[in-house]
Amino acid sequence: MKGQNKLFFAIIIALILGVVLGGIVHTNYPDSADDFSKNIKLLGTVFIRLIQMIIAPLVFSTLVVGIAKMGDIKMVGRVGTKAMLWFITASLVSLLIGLVLVNWLEPGHVTQLPITDTSSASEIVNNSKGFSMEDFVKHIIPKSLFEAFATNEVLQIVVFSVMFGIALSAMGEEYTKPVIKGLDIIAHAILKMVGYIMWVAPLGVFGAIAAVVATNGFEIFKVYAIYLRDFFFALGVLWLVLLLVGYMILGNRLFELLRRIKEPLLIAFSTTSSEAVFPKLVEELERFGCNSRIVSFILPLGYSFNLDGSMMYMTFASIFIAQIYGIDMPVGQQIIMLLVLMLTSKGIAGVPRASLVIIVAACGMFDIPVEGIALILPIDHFCDMGRSMTNVLGNALATSAVSKWEGQLES
């Protein structure tokens, strides 16, 4: 927690220094602004490439482990099926709310930043209308896993990971346990690397903000205010939907549940990590009356497959970055992005800023400038507070709802 606070303050300091330096260049040396921006952005490039470096192994290891462990669903029968139906539905609804509201509110259209590599923008414009099902199928099915890894083709890695995970789950736990355990260790090691790489974020923020302010002046801060306003409005809509569904299932007991989990919600909000409250959430859900076996099964699954706040943020942030660079994505491509995010986000743990890795991957797949992620990093901490708290609410509702459906929710 102290480390997270230090990182937060380091990013804020980097933001301020970047603004000061960029403002000095923009005001006093306008003729040198373009060259300055080109060079200082290399700091952001270092950070982005470090993030891209871990995308393929992270998606592979987490997805395989998550799917292989789903073999436990056979032991709990109906409970597992109902849980997965809830997870899939909630994820789709969360992604769709983010997609609809970011297109309606258009927070990225306040200003428009130039794209350094214009070929990516022209390519997406030229190919958007000519997109065919044949191209989509070829993009999904990998010719080689190693080629998919080398080129960071996330969808192809997902396809192989799903098939590999299903194969492992069908072979029996005793036989495949060493493989699953090994991949689980790899996944945790890579998530540990995410923590290390995030300490490069202040340099990335410094470079990105200095470059943007040097070329565009101080208009970028108008974008931040509107971005936060629109995101928390979208988060409020998601909460309203979740609480309405929760009330339909639990009735007046919903308010008792909210009283029970108020402390985990506050901890998740302050630490920006839904995993930080896992033990406390288990305890409170059992006190609420949920069956302990259902809690111990659904909650761990939910932390990989039911991150509602993070899901909504993924579509919201990805389309925002496209908007701010003036990339007009057709509805068809946005729906494909939604489905891609639906798949690639599964298995990503609820640790601080883990969703940024998936956003970078999605932007890269759809030719959206990945350096745009550095622009939202300074305010990502505030967004992370909201989405982490939403993840906790979604998992508490899922566990309580399944317990109620199974007739095992005690008064």
Side-chain angles (χ1 to χ4, degrees):
M1 176 137 148
K2 291 181 180 178
Q4 291 173 22
N5 288 334
K6 288 179 182 177
L7 178 60
F8 173 64
F9 286 119
I11 289 177
I12 294 298
I13 292 170
L15 168 65
I16 295 170
L17 293 176
V19 170
V20 172
L21 182 60
I24 292 172
V25 173
H26 181 77
T27 305
N28 299 328
Y29 309 100
D31 295 335
S32 304
D34 290 337
D35 291 335
F36 170 81
S37 298
K38 184 178 179 180
N39 292 323
I40 199 73
K41 276 174 69 175
L42 291 175
L43 293 174
T45 302
V46 170
F47 172 67
I48 295 298
R49 288 184 71 87
L50 285 172
I51 289 286
Q52 290 174 323
M53 174 182 71
I54 62 171
I55 288 173
L58 181 61
V59 170
F60 174 73
S61 57
T62 51
L63 258 182
V64 170
V65 170
I67 292 170
K69 287 183 176 179
M70 280 173 59
D72 295 339
I73 291 179
K74 297 174 184 176
M75 295 163 46
V76 293
R78 300 183 314 273
V79 175
T81 304
K82 290 173 182 176
M84 291 309 298
L85 285 174
W86 176 285
F87 295 163
I88 293 170
T89 304
S91 296
L92 283 172
V93 169
S94 302
L95 287 164
L96 193 59
I97 288 174
L99 191 66
V100 169
L101 290 179
V102 75
N103 279 284
W104 175 47
L105 299 171
E106 296 184 336
H109 284 172
V110 177
T111 187
Q112 186 169 320
L113 302 180
I115 299 174
T116 306
D117 182 11
T118 55
S119 61
S120 62
S122 61
E123 185 180 345
I124 199 170
V125 172
N126 294 334
N127 293 341
S128 59
K129 294 183 180 178
F131 187 83
S132 66
M133 187 57 66
E134 181 183 359
D135 295 330
F136 183 57
V137 170
K138 287 180 179 178
H139 193 58
I140 289 177
I141 310 298
K143 286 191 299 182
S144 164
L145 174 65
F146 301 102
E147 181 186 13
F149 263 74
T151 56
N152 261 358
E153 287 285 350
V154 178
L155 255 185
Q156 296 182 1
I157 296 169
V158 166
V159 169
F160 182 87
S161 302
V162 169
M163 295 179 69
F164 190 56
I166 292 173
L168 284 176
S169 65
M171 292 171 67
E173 185 179 350
E174 290 185 7
Y175 191 67
T176 60
K177 191 174 182 180
V179 177
I180 297 172
K181 186 175 181 180
L183 287 173
D184 200 16
I185 293 170
I186 291 172
H188 281 85
I190 296 170
L191 286 170
K192 191 77 172 174
M193 286 174 64
V194 172
Y196 299 150
I197 291 171
M198 286 309 300
W199 280 102
V200 187
L203 288 176
V205 168
F206 174 74
I209 294 301
V212 169
V213 175
T215 53
N216 298 278
F218 296 98
E219 188 181 1
I220 188 66
F221 295 102
K222 183 180 178 183
V223 179
Y224 281 167
I226 292 173
Y227 180 78
L228 279 175
R229 181 199 68 190
D230 291 352
F231 171 70
F232 277 97
F233 174 76
L235 209 57
V237 172
L238 178 58
W239 269 64
L240 184 62
V241 171
L242 288 173
L243 292 176
L244 282 174
V245 173
Y247 186 78
M248 289 168 60
I249 297 170
L250 301 174
N252 289 330
R253 291 207 66 191
L254 171 67
F255 304 107
E256 181 189 346
L257 175 65
L258 292 175
R259 285 195 297 272
R260 285 281 183 191
I261 64 171
K262 66 178 185 297
E263 185 177 332
L265 288 173
L266 288 173
I267 294 172
F269 184 78
S270 59
T271 62
T272 68
S273 174
S274 49
E275 287 200 336
V277 302
F278 184 86
K280 183 67 175 175
L281 191 58
V282 170
E283 179 185 352
E284 292 298 343
L285 286 173
E286 290 181 358
R287 287 180 176 178
F288 175 65
C290 295
N291 181 280
S292 59
R293 190 178 176 211
I294 292 177
V295 172
S296 63
F297 172 67
I298 292 181
L299 213 52
L301 271 182
Y303 268 69
S304 287
F305 291 91
N306 191 44
L307 302 175
D308 298 331
S310 297
M311 299 291 276
M312 194 212 75
Y313 185 73
M314 288 175 193
T315 46
F316 194 93
S318 299
I319 302 300
F320 168 80
I321 293 171
Q323 289 175 355
I324 206 170
Y325 281 101
I327 297 175
D328 186 18
M329 294 184 69
V331 175
Q333 274 193 330
Q334 292 191 32
I335 292 174
I336 293 171
M337 176 183 275
L338 183 149
L339 297 175
V340 167
L341 289 169
M342 174 75 184
L343 288 172
T344 55
S345 61
K346 297 310 174 193
I348 298 298
V351 297
R353 299 176 178 88
S355 56
L356 293 179
V357 178
I358 300 301
I359 295 170
V360 170
C363 288
M365 288 177 61
F366 289 89
D367 292 330
I368 299 169
V370 292
E371 60 265 24
I373 198 77
L375 297 176
I376 61 175
L377 264 177
I379 54 171
D380 182 70
H381 183 88
F382 302 106
C383 297
D384 209 359
M385 287 177 166
R387 63 181 184 252
S388 296
M389 188 166 61
T390 307
N391 294 339
V392 172
L393 175 68
N395 282 315
L397 286 174
T399 307
S400 303
V402 175
S403 294
K404 179 69 179 292
W405 290 335
E406 286 295 302
Q408 298 190 40
L409 182 64
E410 298 176 4
S411 325

